[in-house]
Amino acid sequence: MATESRAVEFDIDGKKRVFDIDDPKLPDWVDDNDITAGGYPYKKRMDKGEYKDTLEALQVQIVNMHTHMQETGKRLIAVFEGRDAAGKGGSISVLHEFLNPRTARNVALSKPSDVERGQWYFQRYIEHFPTTGELVSFDRSWYNRGGVEPVMGFCTPEQHKAFLHDTPEFEKMIVEEGIIFFKFWLNIGLETQLKRFHDRRHSPVKYWKLSGIDIVGMQKWDDYTLARDTMIQATHSSHAPWTVIRMNDKRRGRIEVLRHILRNTDYEGKDTDAIGSPDPKIIGSGPMALEEL
């Protein structure tokens, strides 16, 4: 019995390109451009040794920051958003790696239950907000309604419009409550995503990461781009800004995630030399960053 082809055609620089995720051979046009896709400014990944040393120094500071939070009762939320395979899980992993799991946790919610669908949209997320001394990250968040849901038809246009209107006020309440709040959009190029999808599809240990929605989403790159731009434009604010990080190279991206949190959080024993300065080629803020990065 023949199986249905999952090949997708892309128009790249005026050329028709075909990508078949079930073909074990990765096309050259993907393999040759997975780092430089979308105008990424570096041609090679960050040196592994440099990455390891820089990451370790930042993780020491993250532990110090978290210790200070527990001593002072500070609360922190970090929201991680981005296309599928953008590097959310890996960024969250290096953030939490050496933290006390009793007071540092990650939230990755499945689709809402029938009960949750009848509640105020933000309600099921609020249940996971931090208490005294806690750091909470969200691997996807209420921003599902800003991206996946409208693109895949999981919400109505009216619900999407209401979400974009309500979210800045919702996040203003979070900040006014005294919670330290970060929003990260992890940005990748088309070929970068396709290579990561292909790696997952043909890996004996990572194949489960590739979902049916991912396959459908490959054909909706432009739709997701429009939803992303609309979402960031409507929900970027002075009290809850979007931080955009280019993640074609996961190493550089993870470094900038940790560095940004540390540079924008006050804590005892803060070592600014160890934290270092941001790379403006990799990190930016708000809608302009999507154009400039």
Side-chain angles (χ1 to χ4, degrees):
M1 182 176 179
T3 57
E4 183 180 352
S5 172
R6 295 196 288 182
V8 180
E9 186 176 275
F10 297 95
D11 187 347
I12 300 178
D13 296 330
K15 297 180 180 179
K16 298 295 183 183
R17 303 289 194 179
V18 177
F19 177 77
D20 185 351
I21 197 166
D22 293 321
D23 186 342
K25 184 180 185 308
L26 186 67
D28 290 341
W29 64 270
V30 174
D31 198 26
D32 293 343
N33 296 292
D34 73 301
I35 293 296
T36 58
Y40 192 76
Y42 295 102
K43 295 182 179 180
K44 295 182 180 180
R45 291 176 176 84
M46 185 179 191
D47 176 76
K48 190 174 183 179
E50 180 185 358
Y51 168 68
K52 181 179 178 182
D53 292 343
T54 306
L55 179 62
E56 287 180 356
L58 292 172
Q59 287 177 321
V60 168
Q61 292 298 304
I62 288 288
V63 171
N64 292 343
M65 180 196 77
H66 189 224
T67 300
H68 181 77
M69 286 176 57
Q70 293 170 81
E71 292 172 348
T72 59
K74 290 185 177 181
R75 297 164 291 170
L76 187 150
I77 291 175
V79 166
F80 289 84
E81 293 288 345
R83 298 180 193 264
D84 296 314
K88 297 180 291 295
S91 298
I92 291 167
S93 179
V94 297
L95 172 62
H96 285 266
E97 187 172 4
F98 297 109
L99 301 186
N100 183 345
R102 294 177 179 173
T103 52
R105 51 191 171 85
N106 182 56
V107 178
L109 300 183
S110 58
K111 65 180 182 179
S113 65
D114 290 341
V115 171
E116 289 171 331
R117 278 193 289 269
Q119 296 173 341
W120 179 43
Y121 177 72
F122 298 101
Q123 187 168 337
R124 74 185 190 122
Y125 298 101
I126 293 172
E127 293 176 0
H128 299 277
F129 277 22
T131 187
T132 302
E134 277 195 326
L135 180 155
V136 175
S137 57
F138 281 87
D139 186 346
R140 294 200 182 279
S141 65
W142 46 95
Y143 280 103
N144 281 331
R145 183 147 290 180
V148 174
E149 290 190 19
V151 170
M152 300 301 295
F154 297 156
C155 70
T156 67
E158 291 75 21
Q159 288 173 323
H160 180 221
K161 182 178 179 181
F163 169 80
L164 296 178
H165 176 270
D166 295 344
T167 298
E169 288 302 314
F170 170 65
E171 292 174 348
K172 187 176 182 180
M173 288 190 287
I174 294 174
V175 175
E176 289 182 345
E177 173 62 19
I179 297 174
I180 303 166
F181 186 51
F182 295 99
K183 298 190 302 190
F184 293 104
W185 176 266
L186 307 185
N187 210 56
I188 55 173
L190 172 61
E191 292 93 335
T192 311
Q193 186 187 60
L194 294 180
K195 184 178 188 304
R196 291 177 186 177
F197 278 175
H198 189 270
D199 290 346
R200 291 177 179 184
R201 167 66 180 84
H202 298 280
S203 166
V205 294
K206 294 183 179 180
Y207 66 88
W208 58 270
K209 287 187 172 185
L210 189 70
S211 69
I213 290 181
D214 293 338
I215 301 298
V216 175
M218 284 195 305
Q219 306 173 52
K220 296 180 177 292
W221 179 270
D222 291 339
D223 294 334
Y224 272 109
T225 299
L226 177 59
R228 175 202 68 186
D229 293 350
T230 300
M231 178 186 78
I232 290 181
Q233 180 68 46
T235 60
H236 178 69
S237 63
S238 59
H239 57 269
W242 277 104
T243 298
V244 179
I245 298 181
R246 301 183 84 162
M247 290 293 294
N248 286 14
D249 176 11
K250 294 179 181 179
R251 294 171 184 169
R252 286 188 174 89
R254 292 169 184 171
I255 292 299
E256 293 304 328
V257 166
L258 299 189
R259 183 172 282 154
H260 183 75
I261 291 173
L262 291 166
R263 286 175 60 88
N264 292 279
T265 304
D266 293 327
Y267 60 95
E268 188 175 345
K270 186 171 183 175
D271 186 341
T272 55
D273 290 335
I275 296 170
S277 301
D279 182 347
K281 295 180 180 179
I282 301 299
I283 185 170
S285 180
M288 289 297 295
L290 297 173
E291 301 175 10
E292 295 172 354
L293 288 183

